[in-house]
Amino acid sequence: MIIFQCEDSVDGIFSAVYDAWDSGLGHANVALRLQTQADLELFAEYRMVPTDADKAKKVARSVRAKMGMDAYQTIWQAALSADPGKAEHIYRVLVRGMSARTPATEARRLIWGLQDKDVCRIFELSRRTGNEARRYIEFVRFRELENGVLYSEIQAENQVLPMIGTHFADRFPNEDFMIYDVGHNDCLIHGRARPWFILRDTRPQPEAGERLSEHEQEMQQLWRNFCRSISIEARENRRLQQQFWPLKYRRWMTEGQ
Amino acid sequence: MRLAEGKSIYEKLEILSDAAKYDVACTSSGVDRGGSGRGIGNCSAAGICHSFSADGRCISLLKILFTNECVFDCRYCVNRSSNDIERVAFTPEEVCRLTIEFYRRNYIEGLFLSSGVLRNPAYTMELLYQTLRKLRQEYHFEGYIHVKVIPGAPQELIERTGFLADRMSVNLELPTAESLRRLAPHKSRQRILTPMRQVQLARRANKNELAVFRNAPQFVPAGQSTQMIIGATPENDFQILSVAESLYRKFELKRVFYSAFVQVTQDALLPSLPGGPPFLREHRLYQADWLLRFYGFEARELLSEAHPNFNVFLDPKCDWALAHLERFPVEINRADYDTLLRVPGIGPKSARRIVRARRMGSLDFPDLKKAGVVLKRAIYFITCSGRQMYPLKMEEDFILRNLLQSRETAPAETATYRQLSLFDAGQMLGPVPPQLLQTGVQ
Ligand code: SF4
């Protein structure tokens, strides 16, 4: 067994897909794993795959062409998941979908086949990652800093920043904003009227996030008051509130503290 | 007028959000609109919740009254003119600033602006129009706006306002004309339905216009909604659901909201509710409403003159299935989408997944679980390749007993709680961002 180890990123995983496929060792004799995965297997040979944007691009393009946009998006979202085994599941699904023996019509439907364990897993991971990203589209809270920048901190389980950047850039085209994912140590950065991007392994200066603009406290107070006064006492139901709004999100939010 | 002077923005927001909270519509759904790049904001058709208040309801919009002053005296309303409360009003500028500053911080999806009747309907509607105009044209706000139509305002003014709003609503308030006469002496069924029809016709005209001129301004693109108060008057569920059904059909409404009557004023004509507000009833109505809109049910399939009220113990779909056992069991690998939808425990999402997945091979019970079917409810009503999951009796009492034992799911599927999307998460987030078409992170 030859194990291709890769970086935990979409590019990294796709590079490993490329190399494993290209190795000619036979799909049964190779496996993919993230370099961050701890448990090593004893009787296997490891090959570290350097992340290669060109190879990743080729994989992405071919998958879109043969398996369709829906399948690609599902796989793309699964690749951002926190699941340690995702690279291997993605490889298995691609082996089936991209094999020359699989006719195009079947390849396009492959991702619907919940009967297959790898497909099912990819679908689940994709759904979970998508749901979390959606939660952050709802729950990100910006505070306005002295310099006018809107700043937010989140702690996501999966790598959600690539999935929410477009939404916020479209919404706030003329704002400078930054979302820092504390858990992954990644920063989503958007400058006024410019495209957004992500810096990995970057921590903003801690004090910078504390220098608030003149009206920030006032707005936060108004918002907290609003959240209180909009609730109907006769309907109070904390259990329900908690179910929809879990504590792990709340602690990062203006009105949740 | 008796508006208090010199109130701070804190006090105004407190009073005017408190007075707006009995309007239960909170959704920001119905329109997909990307930002133009020149202003601030966009809209997502599925709607986005931003927070949850202590009553478990979703907070999506800055929901406020422009003023709680009112010349009318509706008996069920806190703002009724005979109520002795403090009266304040925002200025258009204040509403705009709050909306923009909340929006920038991602607190909200937009504005829900309602109002008591200040002086007269035309004067009030003009104030709402001015506020929206400022917000759209001076602040370049492109997020969601839901605005109330004040019945009795001139048609031309309502139309001008509709070109600035995403959703408009006129509240039906009470299910029948008779109840309205009793409890809202200044309103009449006619006065409420007239603007509703106007908005409907203006939307149709606008659609034709848009078909010809793609860049024509849009009129109320997210459609109309309305609200009925439940339990303040003696109508039964069948009457209420039938009214809702005809509002969907004849007035092309997007949503009908139901609001369990909460006693906020004292009035001899209001019922006393020793058991508290009828929340369970409201919940059943939302479930049934859902069945009308997404499951192809009709009101008279669910209720009748002989059985005019919902079963408090069982949700309307299970209740219907039990009364129609002759239609079951349904074979998962063959039944069409509409038939699958009628099985308890199967919803639009899981039905769609089943229809797709079985093109790849036949499905068995474990696969159904993966497709999101709630098996503990569905097993009585389905077979996979001719087999039941366990040998179960197709017998009403037996099934009823078992269904009653399994706890009902939370009211998540309905109403004013979460805004649920009918699509899978992968599709919910829209297409892959263009700069990521290649791979992951730049
Ligand atoms: S018109 Fe009736 S329901 Fe509306 S605010 Fe005035 S009293 Fe309340």
Side-chain angles (χ1 to χ4, degrees):
Chain A
M1 178 67 76
I2 311 286
I3 294 178
F4 290 80
Q5 266 188 306
C6 60
E7 184 189 89
D8 184 2
S9 70
V10 181
D11 276 12
I13 294 173
F14 284 4
S15 301
V17 167
Y18 189 97
D19 281 5
W21 200 295
D22 195 40
S23 68
L25 293 163
H27 298 313
N29 305 317
V30 299
L32 262 58
R33 57 163 27 242
L34 301 178
Q35 68 191 37
T36 45
Q37 234 168 307
D39 49 317
L40 291 183
E41 277 177 50
L42 268 183
F43 302 101
E45 183 194 328
Y46 285 86
R47 285 192 198 164
M48 184 59 216
V49 177
T51 300
D52 180 327
D54 270 348
K55 288 178 180 172
K57 208 184 278 182
K58 282 181 193 156
V59 170
R61 204 184 320 122
S62 332
V63 171
R64 279 203 307 278
K66 186 161 182 204
M67 298 178 69
M69 204 56 197
D70 270 7
Y72 177 70
Q73 174 148 15
T74 307
I75 291 163
W76 180 75
Q77 283 187 193
L80 296 171
S81 141
D83 179 77
K86 62 187 175 183
E88 174 65 10
H89 294 300
I90 289 175
Y91 188 65
R92 291 303 143 198
V93 170
L94 292 186
V95 164
R96 277 188 60 200
M98 301 304 290
S99 148
R101 281 194 304 275
T102 309
T105 44
E106 199 190 314
R108 286 187 169 259
R109 286 181 192 168
L110 189 82
I111 209 73
W112 302 345
L114 296 168
Q115 297 94 331
D116 179 84
K117 97 172 187 329
D118 293 301
V119 170
C120 187
R121 187 76 188 137
I122 291 299
F123 185 77
E124 258 173 44
L125 294 181
S126 173
R127 186 163 41 159
R128 209 181 297 160
T129 316
N131 282 340
E132 194 188 23
R134 196 180 151 80
R135 281 303 183 78
Y136 279 107
I137 283 177
E138 304 168 350
F139 292 157
V140 157
R141 290 292 176 268
F142 290 108
R143 50 183 191 258
E144 190 185 53
L145 306 183
E146 212 175 39
N147 53 9
V149 170
L150 296 172
Y151 177 70
S152 170
E153 283 166 354
I154 64 172
Q155 185 171 26
E157 189 189 323
N158 306 292
Q159 299 167 35
V160 296
L161 292 182
M163 300 178 59
I164 65 178
T166 303
H167 170 82
F168 283 111
D170 184 63
R171 175 160 288 207
F172 304 123
N174 298 307
E175 301 278 0
D176 297 322
F177 66 80
M178 181 155 140
I179 305 173
Y180 173 51
D181 183 344
V182 177
H184 294 94
N185 216 18
D186 295 339
C187 266
L188 170 71
I189 297 173
H190 176 268
R192 200 191 155 114
R194 284 204 303 277
W196 60 277
F197 60 94
I198 287 166
L199 286 179
R200 302 205 70 174
D201 287 316
T202 313
R203 170 188 301 273
Q205 282 183 347
E207 326 81 64
E210 301 307 322
R211 285 198 288 272
L212 303 179
S213 74
E214 191 192 336
H215 293 293
E216 183 53 28
Q217 299 286 9
E218 180 194 1
M219 284 304 151
Q220 293 192 6
Q221 199 50 47
L222 283 165
W223 172 241
R224 287 193 197 101
N225 293 354
F226 173 79
C227 289
R228 209 173 325 112
S229 59
I230 204 69
S231 175
I232 300 177
E233 301 80 42
R235 306 184 72 113
E236 182 161 317
N237 189 340
R238 294 279 177 181
R239 199 183 50 80
L240 201 60
Q241 181 192 34
Q242 177 122 353
Q243 181 190 331
F244 295 140
W245 192 29
L247 288 172
K248 69 169 182 172
Y249 297 104
R250 249 156 118 157
R251 54 184 283 242
W252 298 97
M253 294 167 65
T254 318
E255 71 278 26
Q257 291 149 4
Chain B
M1 262 195 298
R2 16 170 201 184
L3 293 177
E5 304 266 320
K7 290 285 171 188
S8 73
I9 187 82
Y10 287 98
E11 291 164 296
K12 287 186 185 181
L13 181 61
E14 176 119 32
I15 294 171
L16 295 171
S17 59
D18 188 78
K21 68 188 175 191
Y22 297 100
D23 205 306
V24 291
C26 173
T27 50
S28 53
S29 53
V31 57
D32 248 327
R33 181 173 62 230
S36 69
R38 291 183 299 276
I40 172 170
N42 57 13
C43 297
S44 147
I48 296 176
C49 289
H50 283 275
S51 197
F52 293 92
S53 44
D55 51 19
R57 294 189 309 158
C58 139
I59 302 178
S60 180
L61 302 171
L62 171 62
K63 191 194 294 181
I64 46 176
L65 300 188
F66 188 87
T67 177
N68 63 340
E69 159 65 12
C70 193
V71 294
F72 289 170
D73 197 36
C74 309
R75 293 173 191 275
Y76 47 81
C77 176
V78 231
N79 309 314
R80 60 185 294 190
S81 59
S82 59
N83 215 7
D84 182 22
I85 49 168
E86 189 157 40
R87 311 277 173 167
V88 293
F90 280 124
T91 62
E93 180 68 34
E94 285 169 334
V95 174
C96 292
R97 179 156 176 263
L98 278 175
T99 308
I100 294 287
E101 291 304 329
F102 279 13
Y103 195 83
R104 287 179 73 220
R105 288 164 177 78
N106 206 40
Y107 297 165
I108 54 170
E109 275 308 283
L111 174 66
F112 176 111
L113 189 60
S114 179
S115 186
V117 182
L118 187 62
R119 292 199 194 153
N120 58 58
Y123 183 82
T124 314
M125 197 72 219
E126 178 67 30
L127 281 169
L128 300 187
Y129 168 76
Q130 289 303 340
T131 308
L132 264 53
R133 197 197 52 76
K134 203 178 191 57
L135 190 54
R136 288 287 196 222
Q137 287 164 14
E138 290 174 29
Y139 287 83
H140 305 288
F141 179 66
E142 298 172 10
Y144 198 86
I145 299 181
H146 178 154
V147 69
K148 282 272 149 195
V149 175
I150 310 293
Q155 172 166 7
E156 170 275 333
L157 185 51
I158 295 176
E159 250 174 56
R160 258 193 288 146
T161 312
F163 279 106
L164 301 171
D166 291 295
R167 171 162 287 179
M168 282 185 127
S169 58
V170 193
N171 281 353
L172 195 66
E173 310 291 13
L174 298 164
T176 57
E178 166 55 23
S179 293
L180 206 57
R181 243 189 320 275
R182 261 164 61 87
L183 296 188
H186 295 96
K187 294 182 177 169
S188 74
R189 186 68 155 221
Q190 200 47 43
R191 219 175 142 84
I192 290 170
L193 293 181
T194 303
M196 210 183 258
R197 183 69 82 197
Q198 268 171 27
V199 173
Q200 178 192 21
L201 295 178
R203 282 192 77 218
R204 279 202 197 151
N206 181 240
K207 273 203 194 116
N208 294 335
E209 211 168 270
L210 285 166
V212 186
F213 308 103
R214 258 192 52 240
N215 295 323
Q218 294 208 11
F219 182 84
V220 195
Q224 281 196 84
S225 66
T226 193
Q227 160 173 319
M228 278 188 268
I229 301 166
I230 305 306
T233 46
E235 293 85 2
N236 60 38
D237 292 346
F238 186 40
Q239 281 173 297
I240 294 170
L241 200 65
S242 302
V243 170
E245 188 172 64
S246 68
L247 288 171
Y248 286 128
R249 287 189 186 160
K250 300 199 184 121
F251 288 82
E252 299 164 28
L253 289 201
K254 279 280 146 52
R255 280 300 294 271
V256 175
F257 292 95
Y258 310 87
S259 171
F261 174 61
V262 176
Q263 187 128 24
V264 285
T265 64
Q266 295 304 320
D267 193 293
L269 289 184
L270 293 174
S272 68
L273 298 166
F279 293 134
L280 182 58
R281 193 172 167 211
E282 178 199 272
H283 177 52
R284 292 282 178 250
L285 283 164
Y286 274 118
Q287 289 178 314
D289 185 270
W290 202 259
L291 295 179
L292 296 187
R293 289 186 299 136
F294 301 114
Y295 290 73
F297 279 90
E298 293 182 18
R300 62 188 165 77
E301 285 183 275
L302 299 169
L303 296 168
S304 63
E305 303 288 355
H307 296 279
N309 288 306
F310 287 112
N311 185 340
V312 284
F313 299 109
L314 214 54
D315 70 82
K317 195 179 177 191
C318 283
D319 205 27
W320 174 85
L322 272 184
H324 294 86
L325 282 182
E326 74 284 356
R327 300 202 183 196
F328 298 101
V330 159
E331 169 55 44
I332 289 291
N333 287 300
R334 269 200 320 272
D336 61 20
Y337 175 81
D338 294 327
T339 310
L340 289 173
L341 261 189
R342 297 216 158 198
V343 176
I346 297 184
K349 263 192 217 174
S350 44
R352 192 162 44 227
R353 288 184 197 144
I354 290 171
V355 171
R356 280 175 176 178
R358 68 189 182 189
R359 295 163 79 170
M360 313 294 297
S362 69
L363 293 165
D364 205 348
F365 290 100
D367 303 323
L368 295 186
K369 205 173 174 142
K370 294 183 216 156
V373 173
V374 186
L375 276 179
K376 68 175 192 270
R377 248 174 290 155
I379 44 170
Y380 308 99
F381 305 100
I382 53 174
T383 56
C384 281
S385 313
R387 279 184 315 104
Q388 278 192 298
M389 191 160 166
Y390 314 110
L392 294 163
K393 283 179 283 188
M394 278 303 277
E395 187 193 283
E396 193 173 337
D397 285 347
F398 169 78
I399 300 175
L400 177 63
R401 201 171 340 116
N402 284 287
L403 286 176
L404 289 177
Q405 269 163 14
S406 68
R407 214 167 58 86
E408 245 187 88
T409 42
E413 258 219 348
T414 56
T416 52
Y417 296 103
R418 270 183 90 50
Q419 304 187 24
L420 273 208
S421 162
L422 294 172
F423 301 99
D424 288 324
Q427 294 158 311
M428 268 197 306
L429 284 162
V432 179
Q435 59 269 64
L436 296 169
L437 266 184
Q438 300 312 333
T439 48
V441 173
Q442 280 189 333

